[in-house]
């Protein structure tokens, strides 16, 4: 792989980590799958309108609250929803496509992700949702620091470009 092709792969990965349009990702770790995450993913794909990116993510590390789903809107923090059911998909998709509905739905989010410190870079997702706590302020995460598995839950473990975007293979 050349330096140019490596950089192109990284750029492709960044475009799905922080896309230009709305994105919904579903955590498909073992606990998520056991709690119904695959069914959520299939229903999201079925209901997704054009312009909505639907993707997989790995385990976020909060097994007791699975299935976890993340909603990203450009220039806003990622909203993290827990214990999502198939019946919730319609309103989450609507919120992804309508900022007013997103404002209402944000009040039901478990937490938000405003920034994420990857191995080689930090992504700032945006500002907003002042009443939604940051993920690492939740009691479960408060005394933890993600190191080895710091990318879990945000990158798609099946997309090598996302791994490269966050520093994979850079050595």
């Amino acid at each position: 792989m050349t330096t140019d092709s490596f950089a192109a792969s990284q750029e492709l990965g960044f475009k799905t980590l922080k896309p230009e349009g709305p994105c919904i990702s579903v955590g498909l770790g073992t606990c998520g799958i056991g709690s119904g995450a695959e069914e959520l993913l299939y229903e999201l794909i079925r209901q997704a309108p054009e312009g909505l990116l639907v993707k997989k993510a790995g385990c976020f590390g909060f097994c007791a609250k699975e299935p976890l789903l993340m909603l990203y809107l450009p220039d806003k923090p990622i909203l993290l929803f827990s214990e999502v059911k198939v019946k919730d998909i319609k309103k989450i998709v609507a919120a992804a496509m309508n900022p007013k509905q997103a404002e209402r739905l944000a009040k039901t989010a478990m937490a938000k992700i405003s920034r994420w410190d990857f191995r080689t870079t930090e992504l700032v997702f945006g500002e907003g949702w002042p009443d939604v706590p940051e993920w690492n302020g939740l009691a479960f995460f408060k005394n933890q620091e993600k190191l080895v598995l710091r990318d879990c839950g945000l990158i798609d473990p099946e997309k090598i470009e996302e791994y490269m975007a966050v520093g994979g293979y850079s050595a």
Side-chain angles (χ1 to χ4, degrees):
M1 176 173 273
T2 67
T3 304
D4 288 342
S5 63
F6 185 83
S9 293
Q10 283 182 311
E11 184 62 32
L12 183 61
F14 275 120
K15 286 183 180 188
T16 56
L17 284 172
K18 190 176 175 187
E20 293 179 11
C23 175
I24 298 175
S25 61
V26 180
L28 289 175
T30 305
C31 293
I33 292 170
S35 298
E38 283 183 313
E39 188 179 1
L40 290 177
L41 179 66
Y42 298 137
E43 188 60 25
L44 271 167
I45 291 168
R46 193 182 73 70
Q47 290 189 33
E50 190 172 323
L52 174 60
L53 175 63
V54 175
K55 62 178 243 168
K56 300 174 186 178
C59 173
F60 196 75
F62 203 177
C63 302
K65 294 293 185 180
E66 294 285 354
L68 295 172
L69 182 144
M70 290 182 245
L71 169 61
Y72 170 73
L73 300 171
D75 302 320
K76 292 284 191 184
I78 295 171
L79 292 172
L80 180 61
F81 296 94
S82 63
E83 301 173 285
V84 180
K85 307 284 186 240
V86 170
K87 67 180 178 64
D88 302 322
I89 296 298
K90 187 173 185 174
K91 67 182 173 190
I92 293 171
V93 167
M97 305 311 288
N98 183 318
K100 288 191 188 301
Q101 289 180 348
E103 288 290 337
R104 286 192 292 272
L105 188 65
K107 295 174 182 159
T108 68
M110 175 177 68
K112 67 182 176 183
I113 304 168
S114 298
R115 62 188 72 245
W116 197 262
D117 183 20
F118 291 105
R119 272 179 239 116
T120 57
T121 189
E122 179 183 67
L123 280 184
V124 176
F125 293 105
E127 295 184 15
W129 328 121
D131 298 329
V132 180
E134 287 288 336
W135 73 274
N136 55 1
L138 296 174
F140 179 79
F141 290 110
K142 196 173 228 164
N143 295 314
Q144 298 181 40
E145 184 178 352
K146 285 188 171 205
L147 294 174
V148 175
L149 299 174
R150 82 181 99 214
D151 307 333
C152 291
L154 286 182
I155 68 170
D156 181 341
E158 296 178 1
K159 299 285 186 197
I160 197 73
E161 297 85 5
E162 288 189 13
Y163 175 66
M164 293 166 74
V166 300
Y169 298 120
S170 60

